[in-house]
Amino acid sequence: MAELAASKVLPFSKGETEGIKGDFGMRFFKVMALIGFFCLFTAGSAFSACTISTTSVNFANYDPLSAIANDATGAITVTCNPIEDIDVAIGASPTSGGFTPRQLKHPALPDLLNYNVFTNNGRAQIWGDGTGGTNVMTRNNVGAGGYTFTAYGRIPALQNVTSGVYTESLVVTVYRKNTAVVLATGSLTITTTVIASCSVTGTTAVAFGVYDPLDVVDNTAGAGNFTFACGISTVYQLHIAGVRQMNDGLGNLINYGLYTDAGRTTVWPSSTPSTETGVTAGAPVTRDVFGKITAGQDVPIGAYLSTVTVTVTY
């Protein structure tokens, strides 16, 4: 009976017993591996706790001849779960490689348009990554409800570049506050359309001085000019609109002509199509205006005046 009881206590051989131990060890390793994977997954999720959504800084139309800077705003919205204290950085310009200035590039030409993104409406502090005199934006307790930062953009005035759509994207990075731990990344699009533009920037009057109705020689003393500017590569036409008659205010008229040359042989057109069509290089252009009053116009003594309009069509 004692031997029979012993045989029940030890139903396996030594080799079989070691096999069971080995199987248990493998099961234990698998369990531990799963626990390790779960820990890694959980740790990875902590660094992805925030998300970024953006609204582009769209400057709409930019007039290269305007003396007023073009301002626009965009938005960066950050949400975090769990709640985080964060720093938000905006990266350097891919075009310029830096912050001062950031630059937009023409899609097909080498033309560059300076701009920047700032932390407030005063546009005095560049929003960057904290280097090179730039600042980051900070916010505490950002949770699932999110927080929206305003990005204040500005393109300085009087950058005479070729018309076209200029754009680039800036990298936005959310850090755990006062650390290098990245919680999220995104992009902020910057865009503007440079429009074709021309303007007349100055005129010099065509002053004939004294006209003697009894003189048999035409009065050709009058000579003036005008200056205009167009955006680079803008195609233009010129004409001077208006009736060629001076009036003394009492209904008396003196006829005159306006010419492109000192010999008074080529008349300035009073409407399109123009005798001059061109493409500017961006610098101001000056054109002469030569006047002539034909002799023999018997009019009363007085001061005669006429206003005509220099017109640039583009």
Side-chain angles (χ1 to χ4, degrees):
M1 294 295 290
E3 292 179 359
L4 183 60
S7 66
K8 289 182 178 179
V9 172
L10 298 173
F12 304 107
S13 67
K14 179 180 179 182
E16 290 173 328
T17 304
E18 288 176 349
I20 293 171
K21 288 181 179 179
D23 183 66
F24 174 79
M26 183 60 69
R27 291 173 184 274
F28 179 78
F29 176 79
K30 288 180 179 178
V31 171
M32 290 303 293
L34 289 172
I35 293 172
F37 175 77
F38 179 76
C39 291
L40 288 173
F41 179 80
T42 303
S45 296
F47 292 100
S48 303
C50 297
T51 61
I52 299 173
S53 62
T54 62
T55 301
S56 65
V57 180
N58 187 345
F59 290 98
N61 291 338
Y62 178 77
D63 183 348
L65 301 182
S66 174
I68 301 173
N70 192 335
D71 289 345
T73 60
I76 299 171
T77 300
V78 181
T79 61
C80 294
N81 189 10
I83 291 172
E84 291 278 2
D85 296 342
I86 61 171
D87 293 328
V88 181
I90 301 180
S93 164
T95 302
S96 71
F99 298 102
T100 53
R102 290 180 168 111
Q103 291 178 315
L104 301 171
K105 186 179 182 302
H106 190 281
L109 300 172
D111 296 53
L112 300 175
L113 188 63
N114 296 336
Y115 80 97
N116 231 315
V117 179
F118 302 86
T119 60
N120 56 52
N121 191 44
R123 290 169 169 82
Q125 183 61 57
I126 295 171
W127 190 345
D129 62 2
T131 65
T134 67
N135 274 8
V136 300
M137 293 297 287
T138 297
R139 186 73 181 181
N140 294 334
N141 300 318
V142 176
Y147 183 80
T148 298
F149 300 86
T150 300
Y152 297 89
R154 171 168 288 174
I155 303 177
L158 299 176
Q159 297 183 71
N160 202 342
V161 294
T162 306
S163 60
V165 177
Y166 290 66
T167 187
E168 73 172 7
S169 292
L170 303 176
V171 175
V172 179
T173 305
V174 177
Y175 296 94
R176 184 166 289 138
K177 186 176 179 181
N178 296 329
T179 74
V181 176
V182 176
L183 300 177
T185 59
S187 63
L188 178 67
T189 300
I190 315 295
T191 186
T192 190
T193 300
V194 177
I195 60 173
S197 179
C198 292
S199 65
V200 177
T201 58
T203 60
T204 301
V206 179
F208 288 99
V210 176
Y211 175 72
D212 184 351
L214 301 180
D215 199 331
V216 296
V217 179
D218 296 338
N219 184 327
T220 58
N225 59 56
F226 64 89
T227 300
F228 70 99
C230 291
I232 293 175
S233 299
T234 299
V235 178
Y236 68 88
Q237 288 187 324
L238 302 175
H239 68 276
I240 301 177
V243 178
R244 292 358 186 205
Q245 288 182 322
M246 289 182 281
N247 194 311
D248 67 351
L250 300 175
N252 300 301
L253 303 175
I254 295 178
N255 297 319
Y256 68 94
L258 297 176
Y259 304 84
T260 64
D261 62 307
R264 274 77 171 173
T265 57
T266 303
V267 175
W268 267 108
S270 59
S271 63
T272 56
S274 171
T275 56
E276 178 177 337
T277 298
V279 179
T280 69
V285 178
T286 299
R287 289 289 180 264
D288 292 321
V289 181
F290 300 94
K292 180 175 72 174
I293 303 174
T294 55
Q297 298 184 59
D298 190 7
V299 293
I301 295 172
Y304 289 75
L305 178 68
S306 172
T307 300
V308 292
T309 303
V310 175
T311 305
V312 184
T313 304
Y314 57 92

